[in-house]
Amino acid sequence: MARLKKILLRVGVIIACLALAGLIASFFINLYVKGSVDEKILYAATDREEMSQTDADKLAEFDADCIIVLGAGISDSETPTPMLQDRLDLGIALYKKGVAPKLLLSGDNGQIGHNEIHVMLSYAKEAGVPEEDIFCDHAGFSTYDSMYRAQSIFGVERAVVVTQKYHEYRALYIGEKLGLEVIGASSDQEHYGGQMLRDFREFLARNKDFFKAMLKAKQLIGGETIPISGSGLISHGE
């Protein structure tokens, strides 16, 4: 009995040490992901004032193929969440200021009754963006898939990525590791409820995508190529 207790104690110590090592590694991975791309976040929308043309011109010097707006959920079948609306507002503002000639909207359209792309596309069209300049990725089920498909489906080489800053680090890191040239414009026009939970989930997601990017994992769904240099109408699916 005493021998069994000693064995169990040793096993418990080993498990605890492995768990601690894993936690420490996770913290270092997060620090690495954030630190490696921090300087690539070149613009931050921290209020609802109009972007200056000077800021726009600085971003335009990057000569991006497009502005990627990442999905963030919908409130109902016609309404983006506040976070998504802020991303769309900034992405549209960048487009109208001449930062890039195309918008690539990437979201989750994988469930009946949850057509994120329909909402994003409608919002951009109502804001006056020409339909042919709007590209839609209906299979942007995750940040990794969105960045992977930007390159593999739409042929993007250089992009301005629009999302909230806490999420920018992972999106930019994935893009870089997949061979894209990327910069970030963060859309934090307000404070959003539930940020502590999102930060925790993002901590875990950075670790997951660190290894996915390292292994160059494929996107969940492939498809025919739709060059970002052409017309986006074929991608609308409406």
Side-chain angles (χ1 to χ4, degrees), residues 74-120:
I74 53 179
S75 298
D76 57 47
S77 61
E78 299 295 333
T79 311
T81 61
M83 289 185 72
L84 180 54
Q85 181 177 340
D86 283 348
R87 295 181 190 185
L88 288 164
D89 285 343
L90 179 56
I92 292 165
L94 294 172
Y95 168 84
K96 290 184 175 181
K97 289 287 188 180
V99 170
K102 309 287 184 178
L103 280 179
L104 174 54
L105 311 177
S106 186
D108 184 350
N109 186 25
Q111 302 175 31
I112 297 175
H114 185 87
N115 193 335
E116 196 170 20
I117 286 297
H118 166 76
V119 175
M120 296 172 78

Side-chain angles (χ1 to χ4, degrees), residues 65 149-158 180 225-228:
D65 301 323
R149 287 172 57 83
Q151 182 184 59
S152 67
I153 301 298
F154 298 94
V156 175
E157 296 179 355
R158 300 169 66 86
L180 290 165
T225 58
I226 306 173
I228 198 74

Side-chain angles (χ1 to χ4, degrees), residues 28-56:
F28 276 106
I29 287 172
N30 265 262
L31 289 174
Y32 174 72
V33 168
K34 293 178 70 174
S36 66
V37 296
D38 186 56
E39 293 184 355
K40 291 187 173 292
I41 303 174
L42 301 187
Y43 177 78
T46 55
D47 51 42
R48 298 199 173 278
E49 292 183 6
E50 183 180 357
M51 165 184 266
S52 72
Q53 192 59 50
T54 300
D55 287 330

